[in-house]
Amino acid sequence: MTAAPAASAAAPADVPCAPLHSASADYRAGDTVSHHGRNWSAKWWTRGENPGAGSAWSDRGACTGGVSDFVVSEQRFDEIFPDRDPFYTYQGLIDALHAYPRFANVGTPQTRAREAAAFLTHADFESVGLKYVKEINEANYWRKCDDTRPFGCPAGREAYYGRGPIMFSWNFNYKAAGDALGLDLLNDPWLVERDPSVAWATALWYWNTQNGPGTMTSHDAMVGGAGFGETIRSLNGALECDGGNPGSVAARVERYERITGIVGVAPGSGLTC
């Protein structure tokens, strides 16, 4: 099951974060913790269930001043992307996480680490180590407008080019992601290249809610045990999988093995598609 998106990918409100959630602590009804940049209160006694991953916690909204408990630390993020464009901030990613609280937050610690590594692998591949904020081939911009859709391309035929860590593109994706995130991305697609948290949020929207040419979301592939190969299929399987471009698949797998090594988890099975 995919996560229900939050109302917005905007930066958290000015509400102090409660103490950080601990997977080994016991919590009683009413106890409040912070997790992924949001405050949560326990509905009943609970232990070992991460807020947002199940039904034991109520979301109390975004908070500030907390400590990040994302499975990939800022130090590891910097190690993965040493030459990234300054636009791609670690804090931007952390701010976007609250939109999909089940991302890298379900299953064993190894499962959570592998999902985060897989997501960052595709960001690394699609944006060349997070060096590009937008698609560089301007000659292709006009192709990303599907004017058969009833909402058309109000920002202009050339406005829906690839942006962000997975080069998010097409007018129908901007419309759907904007609706899910509470942002008018159809009329202002440039927001994805102006706001790091929005850029990361669009990538998380696709990861958690879209099958693409595959049969499952990338989130479900990693949580359900299908493995990294199925995330390739969901993102670009029509061109790469089943012998379409074995070199590209191999390059993604190589990156995934490097990043899981940095994160400190074994890659798992099902690496190719």
Side-chain angles (χ1 to χ4, degrees):
M1 180 179 293
T2 56
S8 174
D14 190 17
V15 175
C17 286
L20 195 64
H21 173 261
S22 171
S24 62
D26 294 335
Y27 295 102
R28 296 173 296 178
D31 286 347
T32 302
V33 300
S34 63
H35 181 67
H36 279 189
R38 298 183 75 79
N39 284 332
W40 303 78
S41 62
K43 297 178 183 177
W44 47 74
W45 181 92
T46 181
R47 180 181 186 183
E49 182 179 301
N50 287 342
S55 58
W57 295 90
S58 294
D59 186 354
R60 296 304 183 193
C63 63
T64 59
V67 177
S68 169
D69 56 351
F70 184 46
V71 67
V72 178
S73 68
E74 186 168 8
Q75 178 183 355
R76 295 290 179 254
F77 182 82
D78 290 342
E79 187 176 350
I80 293 167
F81 304 111
D83 301 314
R84 68 183 185 274
D85 188 290
F87 173 81
Y88 290 111
T89 62
Y90 180 76
Q91 190 59 51
L93 172 59
I94 298 305
D95 289 343
L97 291 177
H98 73 266
Y100 292 94
R102 290 177 61 83
F103 168 73
N105 198 31
V106 177
T108 66
Q110 292 78 17
T111 297
R112 299 197 295 270
R114 287 189 188 112
E115 182 178 11
F119 174 77
L120 294 176
T121 294
H122 292 301
D124 181 50
F125 185 86
E126 296 290 337
S127 62
V128 193
L130 296 185
K131 293 178 183 176
Y132 296 101
V133 176
K134 61 182 182 179
E135 188 177 346
I136 60 175
N137 187 357
E138 296 184 11
N140 281 334
Y141 284 7
W142 68 273
R143 299 178 185 275
K144 306 301 173 63
C145 168
D146 181 358
D147 52 15
T148 66
R149 304 296 174 118
F151 43 80
C153 300
R157 289 192 58 85
E158 298 185 353
Y160 302 99
Y161 50 83
R163 298 176 174 91
I166 63 166
M167 290 296 137
F168 181 76
S169 59
W170 290 96
N171 58 323
F172 48 83
N173 282 328
Y174 279 91
K175 174 69 164 62
D179 289 349
L181 297 167
L183 302 167
D184 188 8
L185 299 183
L186 182 65
N187 286 290
D188 186 11
W190 298 278
L191 183 58
V192 180
E193 63 186 85
R194 293 199 310 266
D195 187 325
S197 67
V198 174
W200 284 111
T202 58
L204 288 169
W205 169 81
Y206 193 94
W207 182 270
N208 287 278
T209 71
Q210 302 301 298
N211 292 354
T215 60
M216 64 188 77
T217 67
S218 295
H219 170 74
D220 288 341
M222 295 308 295
V223 170
F228 179 73
E230 284 303 310
T231 70
I232 302 174
R233 189 180 301 279
S234 295
L235 287 165
N236 205 30
L239 296 178
E240 296 183 25
C241 294
D242 303 317
N245 190 335
S248 184
V249 171
R252 290 185 194 261
V253 172
E254 182 180 359
R255 282 172 166 81
Y256 176 62
E257 291 175 335
R258 179 183 74 87
I259 291 174
T260 53
I262 292 173
V263 173
V265 66
S269 58
L271 297 183
T272 62
C273 58

